[in-house]
Amino acid sequence: LPKSVASPDTSDITESVVWTLTTAATFSLLGFRLTQAHARFWEGTTLLHQMQGEWFESASCLVAFSAEAKTSKPKEVEAFRQALLRLFSILHASALE
């Protein structure tokens, strides 16, 4: 009988097993890291939207508080509101960087 049939070469089998185990371990670790990165991304996105909602509520309250003074000082109130909204816009833009 030929040598390959009589005694199979085990080096091919061990190389295949080593390659399979290495590949499986690599993809498992890669999958874990991707899952963690995806979770961190969505947590950051959620917190950013929550912060945006809080700023919107703050700006809305400040605009509402100035409504009473609008009858006596309309120009000053309008300037205050415009400055306020511009500052909140800059605040939001700086948070997105």
Side-chain angles (χ1 to χ4, degrees), residues 42-56 92 96:
W42 280 112
E43 181 182 3
T45 301
T46 302
L47 291 173
L48 183 66
H49 282 92
Q50 183 180 5
M51 184 173 53
Q52 181 184 6
E54 296 290 332
W55 289 343
F56 180 78
H92 181 67
L96 292 177

Side-chain angles (χ1 to χ4, degrees), residues 31-88:
F32 176 74
R33 288 182 55 99
L34 286 174
T35 302
Q36 292 296 319
H38 190 256
R40 283 194 308 269
F41 168 77
W42 280 112
E43 181 182 3
T45 301
T46 302
L47 291 173
L48 183 66
H49 282 92
Q50 183 180 5
M51 184 173 53
Q52 181 184 6
E54 296 290 332
W55 289 343
F56 180 78
E57 185 178 348
S58 299
S60 297
C61 286
L62 290 171
V63 168
F65 294 154
S66 67
E68 189 175 325
K70 190 165 176 127
T71 57
S72 61
K73 301 177 184 179
K75 289 183 181 181
E76 289 87 353
V77 169
E78 190 64 30
F80 168 74
R81 286 180 175 180
Q82 288 182 7
L84 178 75
L85 294 177
R86 285 188 179 108
L87 288 173
F88 270 96

Side-chain angles (χ1 to χ4, degrees), residues 2-44:
K3 184 179 179 184
S4 62
V5 174
S7 65
D9 189 16
T10 59
S11 66
D12 289 341
I13 295 172
T14 56
E15 286 178 13
S16 175
V17 170
V18 169
W19 176 254
T20 302
L21 291 176
T22 305
T23 304
T26 302
F27 279 113
S28 296
L29 290 173
L30 184 63
F32 176 74
R33 288 182 55 99
L34 286 174
T35 302
Q36 292 296 319
H38 190 256
R40 283 194 308 269
F41 168 77
W42 280 112
E43 181 182 3

